Amino acid sequence: MTPAGFDLLLVDAHLATMRGDGVPYGTVRDGAVGIVGDRIAWVGRAVDVPRDAVARRTQDCGGRWLTPGLVDCHTHLVYAGNRANEFQRRLLGATYADIAREGGGINATVRATSAADADELAAESRPRLAALAAEGVTTVEIKSGYGLDTATELKQLAVARLLGELVGVDVCTTALAAHALPPEFASRADDYIDYVCREMIPAIARAGAADAVDAFCETIGFTPAQTQRVFATASAHRLAVKLHADQLSDTGGAALAAAAGALSADHLEYTNAAGVAAMARAATVAVLLPGAFYALRETQSPPIAAFREHGVPMAVATDCNPGTSPTTSLLLMLNMACTLFRLTPEEALAGATVHAARALGLTDRGTLGIGQRADIAAWDIAEPAELSYRIGGNPCAGVIRGGRVARWGA
Ligand code: NIG
Ligand code: FE
């Protein structure tokens, strides 16, 4: 037998493999990970590493914990400007919906994003992606939706892909053309959806600019019927779908998403029992966004107990956006998911690794398992629950991306 050969061998580490083997966090204490090329080739206890194994490089992890690289599966991080003024107005009593109806909210960011050229947009957005990467995030989904016309949506999606290369993060792009009604279509939402379906989605698909299509199904967004048209168009172009569903009211969004075979339904504060059951049947991931819940001072939590009961996988994401979730900390979202939604720290970490990957349709990452992409984060923590316990702070000590040490130490 030829000896095992690794390009990189990680030793002196504790592993939170998240492989769902019944052991909390899939823990392996005093473990090691062998990497060949961009894949994990061996995982287990250090004492079991084959004695004749040869490694081109060995990384001593100094007793740190290793987890899968984190996955932020729902962001709107490419935008210009900010909406601190709306934050102040909401504190004085205006609601998110009031501000949207007056032409602020999403449309305010559309104006700023349309006015910025691609370079300006990239320069403003890059620190947000870099902040996520600094916390051990190796895969990020980025939505458009601050263009609402073909050229500006394409500009946002192109900037998202460019930033992935510049910052060194895998970026999945999602076309969210049905995010808000632009003023030129006021009182003509069906005409706007015609434009989205006849022109925007086909152009985005032709350009190969998006991996999926999303919509905002809400009283201040689009109706279920309009959302269905967007989904049908996406499917005709072989694009996966996901949905901003039941965030502010119960529009039956979760069931609608599940019926369309959506990868995920996101927000879900007002999702009803039928919606939960439909998501379970369709294996649609529930993406929880505690940052938006917190910032809008919502009081109704998503139906966490029902998701658990039906075995609906739960992901946790930042929803990084200038209106409802101006954060770039996925770790803070893990804390909020536990404190506000009563997830366990293990559920929260699964929500930012394996379940987040599934929410993006990715099965090649999210666990420390043989054959998975070697995207790994190293942490200065004594136990994995610390990742959810802290309110702020960043214990990320290193990142391996695609089998290469992207960062180690300060
Ligand atoms: O996920 N709800 C719709 N979309 C975003 C908010 C976007 C914005 O306000 O700019 C969300 O909360
Ligand atoms: Fe969102």
Side-chain angles (χ1 to χ4, degrees):
M1 239 173 75
T2 47
F6 301 123
D7 294 318
L8 178 61
L9 183 63
L10 308 173
V11 296
D12 193 12
H14 303 303
L15 315 178
T17 67
M18 306 311 289
R19 61 188 169 199
D21 54 5
V23 176
Y25 299 95
T27 293
V28 178
R29 284 193 179 266
D30 302 314
V33 179
I35 293 166
V36 176
D38 65 356
R39 301 281 147 171
I40 294 174
W42 194 93
V43 183
R45 294 187 310 159
V47 292
D48 295 331
V49 173
R51 284 193 192 285
D52 58 355
V54 282
R56 290 164 52 142
R57 174 175 176 181
T58 299
Q59 177 69 54
D60 185 330
C61 298
R64 293 188 175 92
W65 279 85
L66 304 181
T67 67
L70 302 188
V71 177
D72 191 353
C73 67
H74 180 141
T75 86
H76 310 246
L77 72 78
V78 172
Y79 61 84
N82 74 65
R83 309 225 295 273
N85 57 335
E86 294 182 7
F87 171 63
Q88 299 190 71
R89 283 198 55 203
R90 289 205 306 274
L91 290 172
L92 294 173
T95 67
Y96 182 64
D98 292 338
I99 294 168
R101 285 193 200 96
E102 290 164 13
I106 294 167
N107 267 310
T109 301
V110 170
R111 289 190 287 279
T113 303
S114 302
D117 67 26
D119 288 345
E120 292 163 340
L121 198 51
E124 281 202 50
S125 306
R126 183 174 178 161
R128 292 188 276 270
L129 186 59
L132 290 174
E135 277 192 350
V137 173
T138 49
T139 301
V140 176
E141 184 254 22
I142 303 178
K143 300 174 196 296
S144 64
Y146 293 128
L148 311 185
D149 66 47
T150 306
T152 316
E153 291 283 308
L154 282 168
K155 176 176 73 179
Q156 260 197 286
L157 294 167
V159 167
R161 290 252 173 96
L162 172 71
L163 289 181
E165 281 165 32
L166 293 177
V167 175
V169 174
D170 281 11
V171 167
C172 300
T173 51
T174 301
L176 179 54
H179 195 194
L181 192 61
E184 56 275 25
F185 283 90
S187 307
R188 294 190 297 124
D190 282 325
D191 290 352
Y192 180 64
I193 294 296
D194 278 347
Y195 170 54
V196 167
C197 294
R198 295 213 179 118
E199 192 180 318
M200 292 172 93
I201 292 175
I204 288 167
R206 264 196 312 278
D211 304 303
V213 167
D214 193 349
F216 185 25
C217 183
E218 189 51 72
T219 45
I220 58 165
F222 295 95
T223 64
Q226 289 161 346
T227 302
Q228 257 158 350
R229 290 187 55 206
V230 172
F231 280 1
T233 305
S235 300
H237 289 86
R238 298 180 185 285
L239 289 166
V241 297
K242 30 188 51 247
L243 188 64
H244 282 70
D246 308 328
Q247 179 186 12
L248 307 170
S249 62
D250 178 5
T251 62
L256 190 157
L263 290 172
S264 71
D266 304 40
H267 287 288
L268 305 170
E269 277 81 349
Y270 288 84
T271 293
N272 58 39
V276 175
M279 287 176 69
R281 284 194 299 274
T284 296
V285 177
V287 177
L288 307 176
L289 304 168
F293 176 91
Y294 166 81
L296 295 182
R297 304 175 75 222
E298 294 287 331
T299 51
Q300 176 154 329
S301 292
I304 304 299
F307 289 141
R308 280 193 193 112
E309 196 186 313
H310 285 79
V312 175
M314 292 182 281
V316 177
T318 60
D319 197 12
C320 171
N321 78 68
T324 65
S325 197
T327 180
T328 50
S329 175
L330 186 54
L331 292 178
L332 180 59
M333 297 305 107
L334 299 193
N335 174 268
M336 286 189 179
C338 295
T339 305
L340 300 175
F341 296 161
R342 311 314 270 174
L343 260 63
T344 66
E346 185 183 358
E347 285 174 326
L349 186 56
T353 53
V354 57
H355 295 158
R358 302 304 174 265
L360 297 175
L362 301 173
T363 53
D364 67 345
R365 65 197 71 193
T367 71
L368 300 182
I370 292 172
Q372 290 270 283
R373 254 184 80 83
D375 290 349
I376 299 170
W379 305 96
D380 271 326
I381 53 175
E383 55 176 311
E386 266 185 66
L387 296 175
S388 298
Y389 156 74
R390 293 181 187 284
I391 307 174
N394 179 12
C396 184
V399 173
I400 288 150
R401 178 171 173 255
R404 289 170 184 271
V405 179
R407 179 161 64 79
W408 201 269

